[in-house]
Amino acid sequence: MLENFFTSEYFVWELARFGIKILLTLLVTKIFRLLWRRTFTADTIHLKFIKNVMSAFIWVAGLAYALSAFSLFQDIAVAFFAGSGIAALAIGLAAQESLSNAFNGLFISIFKPFEVGDRVHLVNANITGFIEDITLRHTVIRTFMNSRIIIPNSVINKELIENSNFCNPQASAFVDVIITYDSDVPRACEILADVIGSHPDFVDTRTPEARETAPKVPVFVRAIGLHGAELRASMWTETITNNFAACSDARKSIIEEFERNGIKISVKKYCAPSTQ
């Protein structure tokens, strides 16, 4: 059958028709993506999933349309649909994992545990990064090293997800410092509050009522340790993305202000283990 197919006088013509239909499929896909970008300016997880589903459908339909150019595949299609019950069972078993990923991707798209651009941490897998894309099969996470982690939708849908942007994107991190006991503790607390509160990325999270009574940046003596008084304040920013840099800037300024005001940062001394 295959030998007759390749030696048939119509083979070249059928091959040409196949190529034309593939080119048409490529053209339709490009037009679809262009119209999609012009119609939807937002880049949500729901729209990403729908776009990828429709692109996959275009390609599957286009490939089936292109293969119909060959008489051999028309005969195979007839035989396939004649035994469609057994064929459907075989395909269902073979594509079980793929269907699972597709359905899980649909659930993620509907219930939206994360959006494109969200910073997430997969607790069990210990993966942290930013959601970049979702397809029928997988979700793409961009790490801080700019690499991509491809996770099947059936896997990520079962994960414990820590989403830094869910509901409220504001983020907080502690700025801790230990000062010696002969330093001016009240002045050190004032410096911490002033430096953090005056940073351009700092966000005041107090309610309008609390702003009249509560300090802008509360500073706590979190412990009276062996090596000095341990101070702690919180740096709040609009998102977790710029929180690390803001904390870094604040720590540099705190060191400089402590030096100007004669406040000593405690240095823990290393004690060698006893040999006795």
Side-chain angles (χ1 to χ4, degrees):
M1 187 175 184
L2 281 175
E3 184 180 352
N4 294 334
F5 170 70
F6 288 114
T7 57
S8 170
E9 58 180 316
Y10 301 107
F11 174 70
V12 175
W13 168 240
E14 291 178 346
L15 188 62
R17 288 172 57 196
F18 174 79
I20 292 171
K21 291 181 177 181
I22 287 293
L23 289 175
L24 284 174
T25 303
L26 283 169
L27 181 61
V28 170
T29 304
K30 285 187 175 293
I31 293 173
F32 164 74
R33 289 185 175 273
L34 179 63
L35 292 175
W36 184 276
R37 283 196 299 268
R38 291 185 176 182
T39 306
F40 301 102
T41 55
D43 203 14
T44 66
I45 202 77
H46 187 62
L47 291 176
K48 280 248 183 197
F49 183 77
I50 292 175
K51 181 186 73 173
N52 289 325
V53 168
M54 293 182 70
S55 295
F57 176 78
I58 291 172
W59 266 106
V60 170
L63 184 60
Y65 175 63
L67 289 175
S68 67
F70 296 111
S71 56
L72 172 65
F73 287 97
Q74 293 175 1
D75 295 338
I76 292 175
V78 171
F80 174 83
F81 286 109
S84 57
I86 298 175
L89 178 62
I91 290 176
L93 292 173
Q96 186 175 6
E97 187 65 26
S98 298
L99 291 173
S100 174
N101 287 323
F103 278 112
N104 279 281
L106 177 62
F107 294 146
I108 291 171
S109 168
I110 293 172
F111 295 106
K112 301 179 182 178
F114 46 73
E115 274 292 355
V116 175
D118 283 3
R119 181 185 184 274
V120 297
H121 173 68
L122 307 187
V123 177
N124 296 329
N126 194 27
I127 294 171
T128 302
F130 299 90
I131 299 296
E132 190 169 80
D133 196 6
I134 181 170
T135 70
L136 273 169
R137 179 191 175 275
H138 57 258
T139 299
V140 181
I141 294 181
R142 173 173 52 85
T143 68
F144 296 104
M145 303 301 292
N146 204 36
S147 61
R148 270 63 176 176
I149 299 179
I150 315 299
I151 305 175
N153 292 329
S154 59
V155 174
I156 199 169
N157 201 33
K158 298 175 184 177
E159 265 283 351
L160 293 175
I161 301 174
E162 179 184 339
N163 189 340
S164 301
N165 300 86
F166 196 78
C167 295
N168 184 359
Q170 292 179 345
S172 171
F174 292 130
V175 177
D176 293 328
V177 63
I178 304 175
I179 62 172
T180 60
Y181 286 117
D182 59 351
S183 297
D184 188 342
V185 176
R187 179 59 186 148
C189 292
E190 289 177 7
I191 291 173
L192 255 71
D194 290 342
V195 169
I196 293 174
S198 62
H199 193 280
D201 288 335
F202 176 77
V203 174
D204 191 348
T205 57
R206 295 175 299 173
T207 61
E209 297 79 12
R211 294 188 181 191
E212 299 179 2
T213 56
K216 184 178 181 181
V217 182
V219 180
F220 303 96
V221 180
R222 63 183 296 266
I224 300 175
L226 179 63
H227 303 284
E230 301 180 13
L231 309 181
R232 168 172 286 181
S234 294
M235 168 64 82
W236 281 91
T237 55
E238 283 292 348
T239 66
I240 198 169
T241 305
N242 60 344
N243 191 271
F244 182 81
C247 288
S248 176
D249 291 341
R251 293 186 184 102
K252 293 175 185 176
S253 299
I254 289 167
I255 292 173
E256 294 171 357
E257 290 298 319
F258 277 10
E259 288 179 353
R260 292 192 188 100
N261 289 267
I263 297 171
K264 300 175 184 176
I265 296 177
S266 177
V267 179
K268 295 182 180 181
K269 294 182 177 179
Y270 171 74
C271 298
S274 173
T275 57
Q276 296 181 352

